[in-house]
Amino acid sequence: MRADPRALRFGAAITTLVLALVLVTGSVWLLAVQAVVFALGLAGRPPYGMLFKALVRSAPGETEDARPPRFAQGVGLVFAVTGLVGYLTGITPLALVATAGALLAAFLNAAFGFCLGCETYLLIRRLLPAAKLEVHR
Amino acid sequence: MTGVWVVLATLALGCGIGVVRLRRDGRMRERAGDRLAEALDEGVLRAPLGERATLVQFSTAFCQPCRATRRVLADVSVLVPGVAHVEIDAESRLDLVRELDITRTPTVLVLDAAGTIVKRASGQPRKADVLAVLADAVPGLPPERPSPSHELSQHPDEM
């Protein structure tokens, strides 16, 4: 699977915007929507990426491996779900920290092209050698 | 109101991390203890050492810059005689990853002829930097003269 880096960057920018709105408004629903978006991204159907494809018809100059960003969407999902738990149980610090963590990763990707989620992979494997993900080459 | 401050603080932190990253990413640096550590050999690397130097690259499947790094190092190993490029799948060598304290991929180790770690870089190193380290660390290599036209990172990413 190959991915259009422009679509990934676009998706990260929208994610940044959505998560910032979640923090400002405290909207649980909006965070739930973003969690679903992360889940779809993990499943290989990134909604923001599809929106980009619908808006921009031109072919990308280069493509990149789709697996790292997919993995990162999974990491985003964990943060979003943790944030949801925080908001729903009224543990506000948990909600804020988890959502801010996802915002940080999305912002770094959108603004600098760094995939923080991707880089947690080796650290997770170092701590939990059993956490190997099935990778289809 | 707290949420607004959290957003601002997060974005400020992000800018800080991003700028530091842009400056440090792929920089060749000397790490305390690397030179004193036991030299890596063919048994550990599961590949022969280069005659004069070895570029050891740690990669994972979930690593975007690993492929570009592979191209840079493969190119250097072709360009500089006696330099080998060894790529290690970090996931299948977690023992080595822990022992060498590798936290990110790609991480590139530059070994001298004896297998001692001379320098390391986390993140995609630039070709000119790799050549400079080799010229510095490996006796008998001509001083590097990098040509900008040789930058391979601009090439389209192909499978």
Side-chain angles (χ1 to χ4, degrees):
Chain A
M1 269 284 274
R2 310 294 298 163
D4 180 348
R6 300 171 306 167
L8 296 174
R9 209 75 180 252
F10 174 79
I14 304 277
T15 306
T16 304
L17 203 64
V18 169
L19 289 171
L21 273 175
V22 168
L23 282 167
V24 170
T25 61
S27 166
V28 179
W29 286 109
L30 195 55
L31 184 55
V33 168
Q34 182 56 48
V36 171
V37 168
F38 279 139
L40 287 168
L42 178 63
R45 311 202 153 278
Y48 301 153
M50 288 173 173
L51 175 65
F52 181 86
K53 247 179 235 167
L55 293 173
V56 181
R57 293 306 177 104
S58 65
E62 58 180 301
T63 59
E64 58 180 52
D65 196 336
R67 290 170 300 165
R70 264 181 71 179
F71 174 77
Q73 293 289 299
V75 176
L77 178 61
V78 171
F79 275 90
V81 168
T82 309
L84 279 175
V85 170
Y87 277 117
L88 292 174
T89 55
I91 309 173
T92 313
L94 178 69
L96 293 179
V97 168
T99 311
L103 172 64
L104 179 68
F107 174 69
L108 277 175
N109 201 347
F112 297 96
F114 286 131
C115 181
L116 208 57
C118 306
E119 294 194 359
T120 59
Y121 184 63
L122 187 61
L123 292 174
I124 292 172
R125 286 295 321 268
R126 269 181 70 160
L127 294 169
L128 303 164
K132 184 165 174 58
L133 282 198
E134 203 53 53
V135 182
H136 303 285
R137 280 191 183 269
Chain B
M1 202 50 207
T2 323
V4 177
W5 288 114
V6 172
V7 170
L8 293 176
T10 306
L11 296 185
L13 179 66
C15 286
I17 294 175
V19 168
V20 169
R21 264 298 182 76
L22 284 180
R23 291 174 59 115
R24 291 215 188 134
D25 214 48
R27 274 296 147 76
M28 284 286 172
R29 63 197 173 84
E30 207 165 315
R31 186 167 161 282
D34 267 353
R35 275 186 191 268
L36 302 169
E38 206 175 318
L40 302 174
D41 58 23
E42 187 171 341
V44 174
L45 295 177
R46 295 177 189 168
L49 284 175
E51 209 175 295
R52 292 153 112 175
T54 309
L55 304 169
V56 182
Q57 175 186 351
F58 284 85
S59 303
T60 55
F62 298 105
C63 165
Q64 285 166 320
C66 283
R67 190 173 309 146
T69 302
R70 183 182 308 145
R71 278 201 301 264
V72 168
L73 299 187
D75 205 40
V76 169
S77 69
V78 169
L79 208 67
V80 188
V83 173
H85 173 211
V86 176
E87 189 169 356
I88 294 177
D89 175 29
E91 290 187 69
S92 57
R93 300 299 307 277
L94 288 174
D95 53 329
L96 202 55
V97 164
R98 287 197 198 92
E99 193 187 311
L100 299 171
D101 194 28
I102 284 154
T103 54
R104 287 177 65 197
T105 52
T107 290
V108 176
L109 310 176
V110 180
L111 312 185
D112 63 13
T116 305
I117 303 171
V118 179
K119 294 249 179 170
R120 61 165 72 195
S122 73
Q124 182 189 333
R126 289 180 316 162
K127 194 171 149 190
D129 290 345
V130 181
L131 289 172
V133 168
L134 286 175
D136 243 15
V138 183
L141 280 186
E144 52 112 11
R145 227 175 283 111
S147 57
S149 60
H150 262 85
E151 276 300 336
L152 272 190
S153 53
Q154 298 303 318
H155 281 199
D157 223 2
E158 282 153 17
M159 266 315 247

